[in-house]
Amino acid sequence: SLSTTRDMMHHTPQEQQSVQTPKQQESLASHFNLYPSVEKLSETTETGTRDQDSDAVVTEVKSHFDKCQQLLSSISISLGSYDKEYVDGQKGKLEESEQLLQQRKELIEEYKKSAEEILKKEP
């Protein structure tokens, strides 16, 4: 129970950091709303003539896609580093548990030997 409480205390700050407010989520979602830009692009290309306006819209859509790609890359990187930290943490806990288990086995073995010694000495 004590180790569970310690684990909960250990994970709480990380979990609080990853929780985003609805406003933050909304602003992230707005980066992926490409529909207005694509709609504008389709309207400018319907005429079939290439002019400054259509070039500007193409540039706008391209920069929007680039922003989306950067955002997705940064999310992917941060998730990757979080996963690595989590896995490393779990690996450390596993190794610690294995060491404790080994110590317990050794103590039980010593207890068993001392109990056997006492039993041999009794008449």
Side-chain angles (χ1 to χ4, degrees), residues 57-105:
V57 174
V58 168
T59 306
E60 183 187 334
V61 170
K62 186 182 179 323
S63 77
H64 217 83
F65 269 113
D66 290 344
K67 281 179 190 171
C68 291
Q69 198 164 13
Q70 285 175 346
L71 190 62
L72 286 171
S73 294
S74 69
I75 290 169
S76 167
I77 288 166
S78 65
L79 284 176
S81 66
Y82 174 76
D83 287 348
K84 184 176 177 354
E85 286 173 26
Y86 179 76
V87 169
D88 288 348
Q90 293 299 310
K91 190 177 174 187
K93 285 181 188 175
L94 178 65
E95 287 168 359
E96 190 181 330
S97 297
E98 286 173 344
Q99 284 176 342
L100 287 170
L101 182 63
Q102 188 57 38
Q103 287 174 355
R104 284 186 187 130
K105 283 180 180 177

Side-chain angles (χ1 to χ4, degrees), residues 10-88:
H10 177 71
H11 286 293
T12 305
Q14 283 181 336
E15 288 169 0
Q16 283 174 344
Q17 284 173 358
S18 66
V19 173
Q20 293 175 334
T21 63
K23 277 234 189 274
Q24 284 175 312
Q25 288 174 341
E26 203 174 288
S27 68
L28 282 176
S30 71
H31 287 300
F32 296 102
N33 188 6
L34 298 170
Y35 184 77
S37 302
V38 173
E39 188 71 18
K40 210 187 299 182
L41 181 63
S42 71
E43 286 169 12
T44 56
T45 53
E46 274 174 8
T47 59
T49 56
R50 186 173 173 169
D51 58 9
Q52 268 187 314
D53 287 346
S54 62
D55 287 348
V57 174
V58 168
T59 306
E60 183 187 334
V61 170
K62 186 182 179 323
S63 77
H64 217 83
F65 269 113
D66 290 344
K67 281 179 190 171
C68 291
Q69 198 164 13
Q70 285 175 346
L71 190 62
L72 286 171
S73 294
S74 69
I75 290 169
S76 167
I77 288 166
S78 65
L79 284 176
S81 66
Y82 174 76
D83 287 348
K84 184 176 177 354
E85 286 173 26
Y86 179 76
V87 169
D88 288 348

